[in-house]
Amino acid sequence: MTPGTYFLETFGCQMNVLDSQLVEGQLRACGLRPAESPTSADVILFNTCSVRQHAEDKVLSRLGRLAALKRRRPDAIIGVIGCMAERQRESLFVQVPHLDLICGPGELHCLPALLDQVRQRREPVAALAGTQSRRIDRLARSLLEDEIEALDAARDSAASDGVLQAYVRVQRGCDKFCTYCVVPFTRGPERSRPPQAIVAEARRLVDRGCREITLLGQTVNSYLHQDGGQPVGFARLLERVAAIDGLDRLRFVTSFPADWDEDIFRVMRDQPCICPYLHIPAQSGSDRILKAMKRGYTVAEYLKLMDLARKYIPDIALAGDFIVGFCGETDEDFQATLDLVRRVEYKSLFVFKYSPRPGTTADHSRPDDVPSEVKVRRNNELLAVQGAISLRHKQALVSKTVQVLVEGRSKAARRGGPRHARQLVGRTPHDLIAVFDGDQSHVGALVNVQVTAATALTLTGRIASIISPSRSNRLGVVSLPVHEAG
Ligand code: SAM
Ligand code: SF4
């Protein structure tokens, strides 16, 4: 491949953030260097999300703005990778005539070869998975398809130097087919990665200075593979990763309530490096709506699970996702959601307005009948209820000491405000964001922060003591982007 520069913009979930990091590793290995903006880049890529229409619209608008650039510089390569490529397929070339390349999330290991093809053939190229078989059972599928390891296995360890926090994929795809969701169509069938590969990848990251690992899967607790002929479920996998010497923090997202196994709580309780944090979306507080969404549990079952979580880990921080305005959602259904949120007392919530997705069961069998102003009102009401809960929880921490992994300079410090010039940001094991003053030597360290004030989103404090200094001798320690909910 002819070296040059690339610009990659990422939309969507943590899975996309990880895919983009791995893609960047491949591009750098081919000699490409990052560019500041699309205007100066030879390769311009958008790693896309299809979960809501809004996410796709944003990408189409970015692509539209590149038409003039392509006229000026016909050699620049413009590509759409990820879920939107898989969902819209070749029709994207019709909508966006200046597009050169589309590549689905399961084919990203082919990207360098695709870029070469575009350069040589001067015609648009596509790499898409199409329909993959779900006819054989989950474990057999995982064993058959270990070659999907290609992208993750090629993770460039050297590029991981100085990385403080990292995502590690444990599973691809999803088999749940919640009636509103496009993910099983774009990311294909559920396949777990071999446990040995996951542990080895995590160990390499820790050896290079990584202190916090987040295991990723669409339904991470449904993980199933085998080792030496013995089944390995999520609890056993978690135990193995937690045993890695030098790993300070271990998290995992996203959990699926209907597949929960009590053993996972035991492992969480017994392994000190596993954070007391659980992202376990309910989606609705109404049994009628949960059934229409095909989530596979009732509100009573979900609540029982949350009670069990608190029995094992009394201070656990729970995070959830909710969809408001799903087809047929009445005021009564929405009140039930509010009741659930008040009862569970989440640490944080991600709230989404229902967006019909072509090809999903809900889209072809139920009208999108909740008016958009009602969706907006319910969205705001739910966030307000959660805001009050979050504020109360955070204020209870004022004058207490929390453990923080220092990620870097805060947003305010990066914006250059003189009052915040020394402000750093980090997170507690419960995934609370804390800001406090410090210097570059604190970045990458584990510190105790005494909390002096709190808002619904952030704790403010001062460093009380250093628990363990930074392990990186690099100046800039690389952290994951802040993903904060209401
Ligand atoms: N696999 C995870 C789970 O089931 O919890 C979540 C994956 S999805 C990328 C993230 C969130 O997007 C979901 O939890 C759901 O709340 C939301 N979502 C998915 N499809 C949606 C749709 N059609 N409209 C609005 N929100 C949606
Ligand atoms: Fe989508 Fe449901 Fe799978 Fe989550 S579990 S990715 S919401 S189909």
Side-chain angles (χ1 to χ4, degrees):
M1 185 197 289
T2 325
T5 57
Y6 70 89
F7 176 84
L8 170 60
E9 185 172 359
T10 308
F11 298 82
C13 62
Q14 289 105 325
M15 202 60 98
N16 271 10
V17 172
L18 171 60
D19 280 340
S20 286
Q21 286 169 354
L22 300 177
V23 161
E24 284 203 53
Q26 293 188 96
L27 297 178
R28 280 194 299 261
C30 297
L32 277 100
R33 289 162 290 109
E36 285 288 314
S37 72
T39 339
S40 57
D42 301 307
V43 175
I44 304 160
L45 298 172
F46 297 101
N47 190 5
T48 56
C49 169
S50 284
V51 169
R52 284 168 293 280
Q53 186 56 42
H54 179 62
E56 291 203 357
D57 291 344
K58 263 207 261 182
V59 173
L60 288 173
S61 134
R62 294 277 204 288
L63 287 166
R65 278 190 248 147
L66 293 178
L69 179 145
K70 183 75 178 174
R71 276 195 299 276
R72 269 197 324 276
R73 291 202 289 121
D75 283 347
I77 299 178
I78 302 176
V80 169
I81 63 175
C83 288
M84 197 171 155
E86 194 64 48
R87 194 186 81 73
Q88 299 218 17
R89 310 184 70 79
E90 283 83 356
S91 75
L92 265 177
F93 291 129
V94 180
Q95 279 187 79
V96 186
H98 51 284
L99 188 61
D100 297 293
L101 173 160
I102 57 173
C103 180
E107 313 301 306
L108 292 174
H109 54 285
C110 309
L111 198 62
L114 292 178
L115 291 170
D116 273 344
Q117 268 185 41
V118 178
R119 286 201 174 105
Q120 281 156 20
R121 293 199 206 151
R122 298 272 139 216
E123 62 183 25
V125 300
L128 303 165
T131 39
Q132 295 160 335
S133 174
R134 283 190 166 89
R135 277 197 213 108
I136 49 173
D137 77 41
R138 277 193 306 140
L139 179 57
R141 211 187 290 149
S142 295
L143 294 173
L144 260 180
E145 297 198 18
D146 284 349
E147 71 269 21
I148 57 153
E149 275 291 284
L151 183 68
D152 299 82
R155 187 172 203 150
D156 176 1
S157 315
S160 306
D161 262 349
V163 168
L164 182 64
Q165 301 158 299
Y167 291 135
V168 172
R169 188 181 345 252
V170 307
Q171 185 193 53
R172 286 173 177 268
C174 179
D175 279 354
K176 300 300 179 209
F177 287 97
C178 302
T179 58
Y180 51 81
C181 184
V182 80
V183 170
F185 303 93
T186 58
R187 289 199 174 259
E190 181 190 319
R191 290 143 297 163
S192 296
R193 295 181 65 204
Q196 312 88 312
I198 296 166
V199 174
E201 187 178 337
R203 187 171 288 131
R204 277 197 301 275
L205 287 160
V206 173
D207 286 347
R208 290 188 173 265
C210 176
R211 303 190 82 151
E212 179 177 306
I213 283 182
T214 304
L215 304 178
L216 292 187
Q218 292 298 345
T219 57
V220 72
N221 53 310
S222 325
Y223 176 86
L224 181 65
H225 209 287
Q226 68 174 36
D227 194 3
Q230 294 302 308
V232 180
F234 190 63
R236 298 287 80 77
L237 177 74
L238 207 49
E239 226 165 32
R240 287 197 194 183
V241 180
I244 294 175
D245 204 26
L247 177 61
D248 290 298
R249 289 184 177 183
L250 178 59
R251 303 181 193 276
F252 53 92
V253 290
T254 306
S255 292
F256 188 70
D259 284 354
W260 194 264
D261 166 9
E262 193 169 339
D263 220 16
I264 304 172
F265 285 141
R266 273 186 213 107
V267 178
M268 289 177 78
R269 178 196 61 194
D270 296 342
Q271 301 293 331
C273 75
I274 303 181
C275 294
Y277 172 80
L278 186 61
H279 183 186
I280 188 153
Q283 309 296 0
S284 170
S286 152
D287 281 340
R288 210 176 64 80
I289 297 294
L290 286 177
K291 197 162 174 218
M293 290 175 162
K294 201 171 118 351
R295 287 289 290 180
Y297 50 85
T298 61
V299 175
E301 285 164 344
Y302 182 83
L303 280 171
K304 209 166 142 202
L305 188 59
M306 298 305 99
D307 289 344
L308 198 61
R310 289 203 161 109
K311 189 178 132 214
Y312 277 94
I313 305 135
D315 69 334
I316 196 164
L318 300 168
D321 294 0
F322 282 88
I323 296 178
V324 293
F326 184 65
C327 317
E329 187 188 69
T330 61
D331 279 338
E332 227 174 25
D333 293 318
F334 179 63
Q335 283 308 317
T337 292
L338 290 175
D339 289 346
L340 178 63
V341 167
R342 289 193 187 102
R343 164 84 206 281
V344 174
E345 297 228 348
Y346 292 95
K347 178 218 72 122
S348 57
L349 281 191
F350 296 86
V351 182
F352 305 102
K353 298 184 278 294
Y354 172 61
S355 165
R357 306 313 295 132
T360 58
T361 308
D363 186 50
H364 55 72
S365 62
R366 295 170 188 274
D368 174 25
D369 53 3
V370 177
S372 91
E373 62 277 13
V374 176
K375 288 181 185 170
V376 172
R377 200 181 63 227
R378 288 179 186 167
N379 181 79
N380 295 344
E381 204 175 327
L382 193 48
L383 286 177
V385 167
Q386 179 58 40
I389 297 170
S390 299
L391 181 63
R392 189 155 36 79
H393 283 174
K394 293 206 176 67
Q395 282 181 336
L397 290 170
V398 173
S399 83
K400 301 216 163 77
T401 298
V402 291
Q403 186 216 71
V404 175
L405 181 60
V406 187
E407 296 178 7
R409 298 175 73 214
S410 73
K411 237 190 238 166
R414 278 180 278 129
R415 265 192 243 117
R419 249 179 1 111
H420 301 294
R422 296 187 66 238
Q423 195 177 69
L424 301 175
V425 64
R427 271 161 215 260
T428 71
H430 297 84
D431 204 40
L432 303 175
I433 293 176
V435 293
F436 42 87
D437 279 354
D439 56 48
Q440 189 62 41
S441 69
H442 293 118
V443 176
L446 265 179
V447 299
N448 280 318
V449 168
Q450 188 177 20
V451 180
T452 52
T455 66
L457 290 180
T458 317
L459 302 173
T460 304
R462 56 172 190 80
I463 296 180
S465 60
I466 312 280
I467 303 168
S468 106
S470 170
R471 292 188 197 142
S472 173
N473 48 14
R474 280 200 176 184
L475 269 181
V477 178
V478 186
S479 296
L480 297 174
V482 173
H483 244 89
E484 187 47 41

